[in-house]
Amino acid sequence: MTALPAPSHLSGRMLHHLPVEAYTSEAWFAVEQERIFSNCWRYFGFAEDVSEPGQYVSRQIGLNNIVVVMGRDRRLRAFHNVCRHRGTQLIRAVGKTQKALTCPYHDWTYDLEGQLISVPSESREFGCVNKSELGLQAASVDIWRGMIMVHPDASAPPVTEFLGPVEKYLGPHDVDNLVEASMFTIDYEIEANWKIVVENYIDVYHLSHLHSETLNIYDHENAEYGWVGPHYHFREPLEENYAKATRSAGMLVIPEDELAAYVPMLWPGFGLAEAEASWSTFIITPLSPTRTHVENRTKMADASMWEQTRAAFSRTASLLSRAGAKYTGQDAAGKDDPMASGDFTQEDIYACEQQQKSLTSPYFVAGPASEGESPVLAHQDIVAEWVGYTR
Amino acid sequence: MTTYHPLTVTRVDRLLNGSATSVWLDVPPHLTSEYAWKPGQHLPIRLTIGGETVERSYSISSAVHRNDPLRITVKRVDGGLVSNWIADTLTASSTLDAASPRGTFTVDAHETQRRTIYLVAAGSGITPLYAMASSVLRDEPDSQVFLIYGNHDARSVLLSDEIDELVAAYPRRFAVAHVWGSTWSSWTSPFAKGRIDGSVLDRFIDKYPPYAQDAHYFLCGPGTMNRDVAGALLNLDVPRERIHSENYGGGAALWDDEEGVAAKISAVFRDTTHAVDADAGSTVLAALLAAGVDAPRGCEAGVCGTCTATLAGGTVHQRQAMALSAADARAGKILPCQAIATSPTVELRYDAG
């Protein structure tokens, strides 16, 4: 039996510089997982997540499950969470002083350098195990901008070689001295390909339209944006009245004379929203060709919630146009209409999911891309380069 | 065959009331490559004093960030022929025979590296570490340097002003913690008093944790300081390959791989005393098992703590003791699976019943 032919309405169709399949097919998803998401420095978490000796966290990063553990020298180590015995993903830090990593399946135990130090009943079960060749496989780990970064390759070049060149376009925020505001942590899934989510994030054209009522505190006309390697940077001033109110409200996380919103999308799917009173991550994780996970964590100035709330109120209270719904009254489809939510995240999720749905329509045809959408095309070109796709 | 060239002494600085001397040397253009040096290296010199020809080697203490010419700093040693001659007799515009710099204790700064460099110095051990600090700070913009520096008191800190100047030049990337052995008090208080031991290092690293995770530790001090500090770092999980050291004034080797001695072991387990013989280097557990004693055991790697016992007599060396806390160790707890006898008799009592 021969394989079924691909649906004819999908073949050869393009969304600007990438084929529609790039947004819908398992084959593209698998290639991206390998060549993009398992092939460079990746966000792992906040430095605070592993900040005590013996503490450890494991996380799926692309195709790799990586465990990061801190020794009593306060240095992080990263290993592939694959026991060298049966490959079981069970590695965890244990012991009274948490100086060892162990797989509870057969109790194979490694020291904090990944050396295999114990194989229970070694002589009875194995005769002899060459422990020196069965250490945990190391990965690279470092801290950058208050975040733990990992690379699956133990001999990866420094994280600053990858992200250093874009740093001068990022916000002047002193991230290490901000404090996480965990009540603002959200994670959610979007029924869309990860690239749709990125493209939405970097589409400058949509800011004044989809978010006409929700992000009108920023001066989109004067946005500056561009690329350094695969990393996108974006900066826009605050709208004049809002800037004035923001200065007097205090609780800033940025020097007053550098007031602006910095909203970069670093590679791959590693977004930041470095704003006037908060600093947030926007971490994009592809789950399937049509499903994407987003995690936002937020840091703020070190102050009480009451002070933060008061400052937030005083920033927006004086504005004539406060955040509102795009559609109201009869234009709203109902009380759950994202277009009536007055929440820019709901507006974005809605736009992404509706975009994804149309990709499988036999009548889908992409129109021209605007100047403000030029970053979308650039991102498609970078994806194409990393996966090895040529038009 | 070492080749010496006469280098002109351009300047002599008497430091700390004459107890140390910095000697600045001019390298003529045609010898520049021969005298190229790496921070951490030392300079061999040859002198003839009272008809006797002597050779010494002193660490290069030049500040790389100031583009200093070649400089060595020599501490006056009681009764030392050369150090006293340099301190008392050497003058500017004389010459000093020097050979090309050597030594493998180097920091090798490079722009693309991003590291945390810990420097542990005592006394005149600061000289190569000062050059290293200055070099990393100038040439590795993404790296940080943390120095912990032991001296007798505030008045005996060699290169004190230059260290302060380096902190002022790189305030976000360089920090210094002083440890003073003397109880003499001054208007400033040090980071710690006493010796640079495990608890001082633990506190130092807790205060200055590595931001860049590629951390390296450079130790330079007299006598047993290097070995003591290296041992303390190992106890803090620092891997050996990240510890680099140079001994000043001789001293013990950095790593002490204990071989143990043959011993008579007496082990109390479930109210029964088992007396067995252990070969040199055999663990207590191995000796008991070889004699047919079904002694408590688990991982046999020092991790699980199943075999924990209390030492009642004699001494042992333990290769690993992960399962023991510092308090356990103070209470005389040992792990027989890791313990080898270092005294001819060893008595222990198992905790498990």
Side-chain angles (χ1 to χ4, degrees):
Chain A
M1 183 177 149
T2 54
L4 277 173
S8 58
H9 68 275
L10 290 180
S11 70
R13 303 264 300 282
M14 299 294 287
L15 172 53
H16 306 311
H17 294 181
L18 288 178
V20 166
E21 285 99 319
Y23 296 81
T24 58
S25 83
E26 290 288 350
W28 266 80
F29 179 81
V31 170
E32 288 174 342
Q33 282 295 303
E34 180 197 342
R35 297 186 192 164
I36 296 176
F37 291 97
S38 309
N39 199 22
C40 60
W41 281 97
R42 300 289 317 280
Y43 167 89
F44 185 88
F46 283 5
E48 298 89 306
D49 298 351
V50 189
S51 55
E52 297 286 333
Q55 206 178 359
Y56 70 100
V57 169
S58 60
R59 242 188 123 147
Q60 189 71 26
I61 302 293
L63 297 173
N64 303 298
N65 193 280
I66 290 180
V67 56
V68 171
V69 59
M70 179 175 276
R72 288 186 301 163
D73 52 10
R74 275 70 168 178
R75 194 171 59 81
L76 299 173
R77 293 96 162 118
F79 298 102
H80 289 272
N81 189 355
V82 178
C83 181
R84 294 300 304 279
H85 177 213
R86 291 268 290 268
T88 318
Q89 237 174 54
L90 282 174
I91 298 301
R92 56 178 74 174
V94 293
K96 197 167 180 179
T97 47
Q98 300 200 308
K99 288 179 70 175
L101 297 160
T102 189
C103 173
Y105 200 173
H106 302 93
D107 284 336
W108 280 35
T109 299
Y110 307 84
D111 69 15
L112 287 187
E113 296 312 305
Q115 292 295 316
L116 178 61
I117 54 173
S118 168
V119 173
S121 313
E122 178 181 338
S123 54
R124 193 180 70 226
E125 295 288 341
F126 295 93
C128 181
V129 175
N130 189 351
K131 297 200 194 70
S132 65
E133 289 180 0
L134 290 170
L136 286 178
Q137 297 167 91
S140 292
V141 60
D142 214 336
I143 296 177
W144 179 79
R145 223 172 164 74
M147 294 172 280
I148 298 173
M149 303 293 297
V150 294
H151 191 299
D153 183 348
S155 53
V159 66
T160 39
E161 193 174 311
F162 183 60
L163 286 160
V166 77
E167 269 186 280
K168 62 173 176 279
Y169 297 101
L170 304 183
H173 301 66
D174 182 8
V175 183
D176 293 306
N177 288 314
L178 302 180
V179 177
E180 182 165 21
S182 50
M183 70 287 288
F184 295 124
T185 299
I186 41 173
D187 54 308
Y188 49 96
E189 288 178 16
I190 301 178
E191 298 293 330
N193 183 273
W194 73 277
K195 297 186 289 299
I196 296 283
V197 179
V198 170
E199 290 169 7
N200 172 261
Y201 200 90
I202 65 181
D203 168 3
V204 182
Y205 185 33
H206 89 296
L207 295 174
S208 310
H209 302 285
L210 181 65
H211 306 309
S212 56
E213 305 302 317
T214 47
L215 287 177
N216 52 9
I217 54 177
Y218 298 108
D219 177 8
H220 308 314
E221 292 288 308
N222 288 302
E224 295 164 21
Y225 51 92
W227 295 84
V228 176
H231 307 297
Y232 171 75
H233 58 86
F234 173 97
R235 175 189 185 276
E236 62 180 0
L238 274 57
E239 181 273 330
E240 206 178 314
N241 288 324
Y242 180 64
K244 202 184 292 175
T246 296
R247 280 197 187 90
S248 65
M251 294 293 129
L252 298 184
V253 292
I254 188 170
E256 239 184 65
D257 52 351
E258 292 178 80
L259 211 52
Y262 298 78
V263 194
M265 175 54 71
L266 308 174
W267 181 261
F270 175 18
L272 300 175
E274 306 179 303
E276 60 281 358
S278 65
W279 180 94
S280 305
T281 55
F282 190 96
I283 307 302
I284 292 171
T285 307
L287 300 175
S288 81
T290 58
R291 217 152 50 87
T292 299
H293 179 264
V294 175
E295 179 194 76
N296 304 140
R297 289 171 73 177
T298 295
K299 288 186 170 190
M300 301 180 87
D302 192 1
S304 72
M305 204 54 227
W306 181 80
E307 290 171 291
Q308 293 286 7
T309 309
R310 187 182 60 166
F313 184 76
S314 98
R315 275 194 298 277
T316 50
S318 63
L319 294 181
L320 291 174
S321 58
R322 290 167 62 184
K326 181 170 176 67
Y327 292 160
T328 54
Q330 290 195 333
D331 291 337
K335 67 177 169 54
D336 295 331
D337 186 349
M339 292 297 97
S341 67
D343 173 352
F344 73 86
T345 302
Q346 292 305 315
E347 294 168 348
D348 279 330
I349 294 172
Y350 182 64
C352 289
E353 293 186 342
Q354 298 305 107
Q355 163 86 74
Q356 182 72 36
K357 284 179 191 168
S358 70
L359 293 178
T360 46
S361 162
Y363 286 84
F364 173 80
V365 187
S370 70
E371 177 54 37
E373 289 169 289
S374 60
V376 172
L377 305 185
H379 188 259
Q380 291 186 327
D381 292 341
I382 293 160
V383 170
E385 185 192 324
W386 280 59
V387 301
Y389 167 81
T390 40
R391 268 188 281 166
Chain B
M1 181 69 201
T2 305
T3 308
Y4 287 89
H5 295 281
L7 301 183
T8 303
V9 176
T10 57
R11 183 173 147 190
V12 177
D13 299 334
R14 315 280 176 206
L15 310 170
L16 304 177
N17 295 320
S19 66
T21 311
S22 278
V23 180
W24 303 66
L25 297 164
D26 180 54
V27 176
H30 70 280
L31 292 176
T32 309
S33 63
E34 202 164 324
Y35 287 85
W37 59 282
K38 292 177 175 180
Q41 284 189 318
H42 43 84
L43 184 75
I45 62 168
R46 186 179 63 190
L47 294 161
T48 303
I49 302 172
E52 186 189 352
T53 298
V54 287
E55 294 174 356
R56 293 286 187 278
S57 204
Y58 293 106
S59 286
I60 298 168
S61 62
S62 310
V64 176
H65 74 291
R66 288 193 309 238
N67 296 311
D68 276 359
L70 203 54
R71 180 181 79 169
I72 55 173
T73 300
V74 180
K75 182 161 183 149
R76 189 196 287 271
V77 178
D78 278 348
L81 179 67
V82 177
S83 66
N84 282 293
W85 185 87
I86 288 174
D88 298 329
T89 313
L90 185 68
T91 53
S93 69
S94 59
T95 62
L96 198 57
D97 284 350
S100 49
R102 55 198 60 182
T104 55
F105 179 61
T106 58
V107 74
D108 297 319
H110 194 275
E111 189 188 17
T112 60
Q113 295 184 110
R114 182 180 193 243
R115 303 186 289 178
T116 303
I117 303 292
Y118 289 98
L119 306 174
V120 185
S124 58
I126 189 65
T127 52
L129 299 187
Y130 173 71
M132 286 183 179
S134 146
S135 149
V136 171
L137 291 167
R138 188 192 72 176
D139 294 335
E140 281 184 24
D142 293 325
S143 296
Q144 284 183 310
V145 181
F146 301 119
L147 166 68
I148 184 164
Y149 186 12
N151 278 288
H152 184 260
D153 59 46
R155 298 165 301 187
S156 55
V157 179
L158 198 55
L159 305 181
S160 175
D161 293 345
E162 299 193 45
I163 292 166
D164 290 348
E165 182 215 352
L166 205 53
V167 173
Y170 301 97
R172 291 175 65 91
R173 295 175 42 225
F174 183 44
V176 180
H178 288 282
V179 178
W180 295 337
S182 152
T183 51
W184 178 84
S185 59
S186 73
W187 58 275
T188 52
S189 50
F191 176 78
K193 291 206 171 189
R195 291 171 54 252
I196 303 177
D197 61 11
S199 73
V200 169
L201 282 170
D202 187 31
R203 208 152 58 73
F204 175 64
I205 293 173
D206 190 45
K207 183 169 182 189
Y208 302 106
Y211 198 84
Q213 298 297 303
D214 186 5
H216 287 269
Y217 309 78
F218 292 84
L219 324 179
C220 191
T224 58
M225 187 210 89
N226 287 355
R227 193 173 79 168
D228 294 350
V229 168
L233 289 174
L234 287 183
N235 281 331
L236 290 174
D237 304 335
V238 176
R240 284 187 183 198
E241 61 271 22
R242 290 182 179 275
I243 303 176
H244 318 274
S245 80
E246 180 134 291
N247 260 305
Y248 262 40
L254 203 54
W255 313 116
D256 171 24
D257 287 316
E258 181 60 58
E259 289 173 1
V261 297
K264 298 213 172 294
I265 311 283
S266 164
V268 181
F269 172 51
R270 285 195 187 135
D271 300 328
T272 306
T273 302
H274 304 275
V276 303
D277 290 322
D279 295 335
S282 159
T283 66
V284 170
L285 176 65
L288 288 165
L289 292 177
V293 180
D294 187 22
R297 61 192 179 277
C299 70
E300 299 183 29
V303 176
C304 70
T306 307
C307 66
T308 304
T310 305
L311 194 64
T315 57
V316 298
H317 169 78
Q318 299 186 87
R319 292 166 176 154
Q320 297 260 25
M322 290 188 188
L324 298 179
S325 68
D328 290 337
R330 276 194 300 273
K333 301 289 182 192
I334 61 164
L335 299 173
C337 73
Q338 294 299 305
I340 57 176
T342 51
S343 62
T345 59
V346 169
E347 295 165 41
L348 61 140
R349 175 181 292 274
Y350 276 97
D351 290 8

